[in-house]
Amino acid sequence: MDPNAREVDMIWLTAQVFLPLAVAVLLLIVPGRFRELLRWLALFGCAATLALSLCLWVDYYHRVLEYRSDRSVSSMYHPDSRLDARVEHQQSLTAKPVPGPFLSIDLVTIRPWISQFDVNYALGVDGLNLLMVILTSLVTMLAVAASWKIDDRVKGYLVLILTLESGVIGAFLSLDLFLFYVFYEVMLLPMYFLIGMWGGGRRKYAALKFVIYTLAGSVCLLAAMIALYTVNVRDFVDQNVVLRQDEEMARRDPSLLILEAKGRIEVHSFDIVTLSKVGRAAMLVLTNQEHRLAVRGVGKDEPHQPAANGSVELFAPGVDREAALARLKASPVCNRTFQYVIFALLFVGFAVKVPIVPLHSWLPDAHVEAPTPVSMILAGVLLKLGGYGLIRIAFPLCPWAAAELAWWIGLIGAVGIVYGALVAMGQTDFKKLLAYSSVSHMGYVVLGLASWSSADNSQYWEMGVNGAVYQMLAHGITATALFFVVGVVYDRAHHRELNQLGGLTEPMPVYTGLSAILFFASMGLPGLCGFVGEFKVMMAAWAFSPPLAVTAILATILTASYLLWAWQRAFLGVNEKTKGYPDVSAREFVILLPLVLFAIALGLFPSVLILSWVEPSVAGWVENLAPLK
């Protein structure tokens, strides 16, 4: 691999993460009295971040075109998306250059960071997070544009928004658990201050509740992260690293020869890809399929060729298979209780962010009290980190526990769908209704991920995971837009009570037309973005558990009911109080229009815009987990 290519990946990914933070530092230098300048600098910074994410998308597209002819590689992800292959190669470069050709379409950079604790600065882009980064950049830019009327402490507000964007993008791109945790925590303080300082009358209560719930989830993630770090991964990493540590041990204690020291050294890692391989190997042991475990590249010229005879090549080249298998069996990761506990900690940690019932009660309060632009980011981006964490971390790191608990996870998702819809139906506060709607819609994400099928029916699980990712992206568009729709009417009415609105169609026809499309998209009307993800999840859920699927299908009636009822109360009829409301301004129209166009385009062209980018990575993700069940 060309060293210059590695440096390019390093520059691209680092710029993507830290460009918003650099703009935030620039804003700190500008005097606070230049409010317009601060707003425009923040907007241009967000636009530059979006442009950079689109450049990553174009780069990724060209790599796909160049590599699509080689379909012979089977690894953690699909042949078109081999994040683990790139990671493995870069890790070997830090120890000793490995000759030979290397092909991968993913952008990955790995550099040592805190060597004492085996923490790396590891970032990567593949089909699972590429569109999430674009969504984050788009939503943040629109949120900054929606913040034009905020006049109180403008500098601090914009600095916090940009810092939040860096934290979210960093979390999406992280391939190291420790680094992921750092970015995950970086998001906490900006959101706390944005709600607590610029929110409504109960902003302090809502901000404190948000922090308590989020910190509780973070503690669960921290405990799981520490436990996973204790796992010995020496047989799954480049053996040059292990050899160097053996030699170092022998130098520190001359009484030990290298051969005696060899096998005693433990290697620990926060690397997500390495821990995923350990998780898969542990699942084979726990399901009595340990005979399938093999050493990578044995008997083959190309180490990344597909395994034969059903073997799963997880041990690193040069490892003694029998000794490695013995060490794996003695590891806590092959203990059923350990698997259950770690998966539960990871699941709860991310469930708070999804949010999953009953860990959802912070969300309605946060939405109601947060200013409109913050609600746009919260609903459009932050909730997606919970679902992404389940996909990238919880399921791959503890696949045995995930498979054993799949039905219960699906039940949690189905309960969230129904509960969120029922509670939304009883709301009169426009924002609170949308908050509970988010709880319901994100339940489809959990149900899709839980639709774990056997090897013979893995195509249904792949459909469910694709649907879950699509649902996150579609909800990111519709939720962002609908919270802005509420903000528009709040600027005129100075309240969000649906029972006091009504009659908005006559004075605000453009606003009404744009809002109608978004309401129908959120409802899941065919031809709009909300339909595709929910349909795929329902299909997968039917193959997995018909009762859960029937529950999700019937819940669509509830979704249509509360959204249509909200529409009628807000827009139809005649209301003297709303007759004088002006239609959307040019700025409001510019913010709403792209979201409406995306809601339509994603429904009409789901494969071109979403699935063609997501499916390759999801296919490999499922391919490597479903056969293990």
Side-chain angles (χ1 to χ4, degrees):
M1 182 182 175
D2 184 2
N4 292 328
R6 297 198 306 276
E7 293 302 321
V8 169
D9 285 2
M10 172 78 170
I11 294 170
W12 274 108
L13 296 176
T14 301
Q16 183 69 72
V17 174
F18 293 106
L19 178 58
L21 190 60
V23 176
V25 173
L26 176 62
L27 294 185
L28 291 174
I29 302 173
V30 178
R33 63 180 180 275
F34 299 114
R35 294 182 179 180
E36 284 298 308
L37 177 61
L38 290 168
R39 293 187 181 104
W40 281 108
L41 285 175
L43 185 61
F44 283 134
C46 291
T49 304
L50 176 60
L52 186 58
S53 66
L54 293 176
C55 290
L56 286 177
W57 175 60
V58 172
D59 188 9
Y60 192 82
Y61 174 73
H62 284 295
R63 295 185 188 215
V64 169
L65 290 181
E66 293 175 2
Y67 185 63
R68 195 171 289 278
S69 60
D70 182 3
R71 308 287 295 183
S72 61
V73 182
S74 178
S75 60
M76 179 179 173
Y77 298 102
H78 193 271
D80 280 346
S81 187
R82 304 189 299 126
L83 193 57
D84 64 327
R86 174 67 69 88
V87 168
E88 179 184 327
H89 188 73
Q90 287 229 6
Q91 286 174 333
S92 67
L93 288 171
T94 62
K96 181 179 179 181
V98 178
F102 175 76
L103 294 173
S104 176
I105 66 171
D106 299 304
L107 293 88
V108 174
T109 184
I110 298 179
R111 295 291 186 275
W113 181 22
I114 308 175
S115 301
Q116 182 180 0
F117 298 104
D118 303 288
V119 176
N120 293 320
Y121 175 75
L123 302 173
V125 169
D126 70 345
L128 289 174
N129 60 10
L130 173 62
L131 295 180
M132 296 293 177
V133 172
I134 296 175
L135 175 68
T136 301
S137 303
L138 174 65
V139 170
T140 307
M141 184 184 72
L142 295 178
V144 169
S147 303
W148 226 258
K149 290 188 177 181
I150 292 181
D151 292 323
D152 183 30
R153 293 162 291 186
V154 175
K155 179 195 288 192
Y157 173 86
L158 294 173
V159 166
L160 290 171
I161 290 281
L162 292 166
T163 304
L164 180 64
E165 183 180 15
S166 274
V168 173
I169 294 176
F172 277 132
L173 296 182
S174 294
L175 297 180
D176 185 278
L177 265 181
F178 189 90
L179 184 65
F180 175 88
Y181 185 79
V182 169
F183 283 121
Y184 202 76
E185 290 298 289
V186 163
M187 298 181 298
L188 176 62
L189 287 179
M191 185 57 70
Y192 169 76
F193 287 114
L194 286 168
I195 297 173
M197 296 179 67
W198 286 271
R202 299 175 71 243
R203 57 184 179 272
K204 294 181 180 179
Y205 168 78
L208 181 61
K209 194 171 184 179
F210 166 78
V211 167
I212 291 174
Y213 270 85
T214 305
L215 280 179
S218 297
V219 168
C220 291
L221 293 180
L222 180 62
M225 184 176 72
I226 293 172
L228 288 168
Y229 182 73
T230 65
V231 174
N232 183 11
V233 300
R234 62 168 291 148
D235 299 309
F236 299 87
V237 299
D238 178 52
Q239 294 303 289
N240 290 320
V241 176
V242 180
L243 180 61
R244 286 206 315 271
Q245 292 196 29
D246 288 339
E247 293 171 345
E248 180 64 26
M249 180 177 177
R251 280 196 296 270
R252 286 199 301 264
D253 188 351
S255 64
L256 294 175
L257 298 175
I258 293 181
L259 291 178
E260 293 176 338
K262 194 170 185 178
R264 301 183 186 182
I265 292 293
E266 290 190 0
V267 176
H268 304 283
S269 177
F270 288 110
D271 179 66
I272 293 173
V273 173
T274 299
L275 292 173
S276 298
K277 292 178 182 178
V278 177
R280 292 177 59 205
M283 188 175 192
L284 288 172
V285 172
L286 291 170
T287 53
N288 299 316
Q289 301 180 68
E290 57 196 60
H291 59 279
R292 297 175 57 190
L293 276 170
V295 177
R296 295 197 299 277
V298 174
K300 294 197 291 288
D301 296 330
E302 171 55 53
H304 296 296
Q305 292 296 318
N309 302 321
S311 62
V312 182
E313 298 184 346
L314 296 173
F315 293 132
V319 167
D320 183 323
R321 180 191 179 279
E322 297 306 318
L325 185 58
R327 281 191 289 267
L328 178 64
K329 288 182 176 180
S331 173
V333 77
C334 288
N335 181 282
R336 286 174 167 80
T337 302
F338 182 88
Q339 283 270 327
Y340 279 131
V341 171
I342 298 304
F343 180 78
L345 290 171
L346 292 172
F347 184 79
V348 171
F350 293 121
V352 172
K353 267 289 195 289
V354 171
I356 291 173
V357 177
L359 304 174
H360 68 287
S361 65
W362 63 270
L363 184 64
D365 292 313
H367 270 311
V368 168
E369 302 304 329
T372 296
V374 177
S375 287
M376 292 167 64
I377 297 175
L378 179 59
V381 175
L382 292 193
L383 302 188
K384 311 307 172 287
L385 274 169
Y388 177 78
L390 293 176
I391 297 172
R392 178 70 82 192
I393 297 175
F395 276 70
L397 268 56
C398 300
W400 180 84
E404 291 294 310
L405 299 172
W407 190 88
W408 296 102
I409 298 171
L411 178 63
I412 292 173
V415 169
I417 294 170
V418 176
Y419 175 86
L422 286 174
V423 179
M425 191 175 296
Q427 301 305 312
T428 59
D429 185 297
F430 209 158
K431 256 194 175 185
K432 190 168 285 189
L433 182 146
L434 294 178
Y436 282 107
S437 174
S438 293
V439 174
S440 180
H441 282 97
M442 292 302 290
Y444 286 98
V445 175
V446 179
L447 179 59
L449 296 179
S451 301
W452 195 303
S453 304
S454 64
D456 296 333
N457 295 315
S458 61
Q459 70 272 19
Y460 292 108
W461 190 28
E462 181 180 336
M463 185 182 297
V465 178
N466 276 315
V469 177
Y470 197 101
Q471 176 72 357
M472 287 195 290
L473 294 165
H475 180 262
I477 296 296
T478 57
T480 298
L482 286 174
F483 276 104
F484 183 71
V485 164
V486 177
V488 170
V489 73
Y490 182 79
D491 287 341
R492 290 150 175 80
H494 305 294
H495 69 81
R496 296 182 299 267
E497 282 297 316
L498 288 167
N499 293 332
Q500 298 179 30
L501 293 174
L504 294 177
T505 302
E506 181 180 349
M508 306 176 69
V510 175
Y511 171 75
T512 300
L514 296 175
S515 301
I517 296 173
L518 296 168
F519 267 80
F520 288 124
S522 182
M523 198 183 304
L525 190 71
L528 296 174
C529 65
F531 173 75
V532 179
E534 291 181 8
F535 180 76
K536 281 182 167 289
V537 169
M538 291 174 190
M539 291 285 288
W542 185 270
F544 172 66
S545 174
L548 295 179
V550 169
T551 302
I553 292 170
L554 293 178
T556 59
I557 301 174
L558 298 175
T559 302
S561 299
Y562 71 75
L563 286 174
L564 286 175
W565 193 26
W567 168 262
Q568 290 178 351
R569 286 181 287 174
F571 292 91
L572 300 185
V574 178
N575 189 344
E576 293 295 330
K577 295 179 180 179
T578 62
K579 272 190 174 181
Y581 290 174
D583 209 343
V584 288
S585 65
R587 178 182 61 86
E588 292 167 339
F589 180 78
V590 168
I591 294 171
L592 270 180
L593 183 62
L595 295 171
V596 171
L597 294 178
F598 274 119
I600 297 172
L602 266 59
L604 295 178
F605 310 105
S607 180
V608 174
L609 296 177
I610 300 293
L611 296 177
S612 60
W613 306 98
V614 173
E615 279 182 338
S617 291
V618 170
W621 189 88
V622 171
E623 178 186 357
N624 284 286
L625 294 182
L628 302 182
K629 189 171 184 241

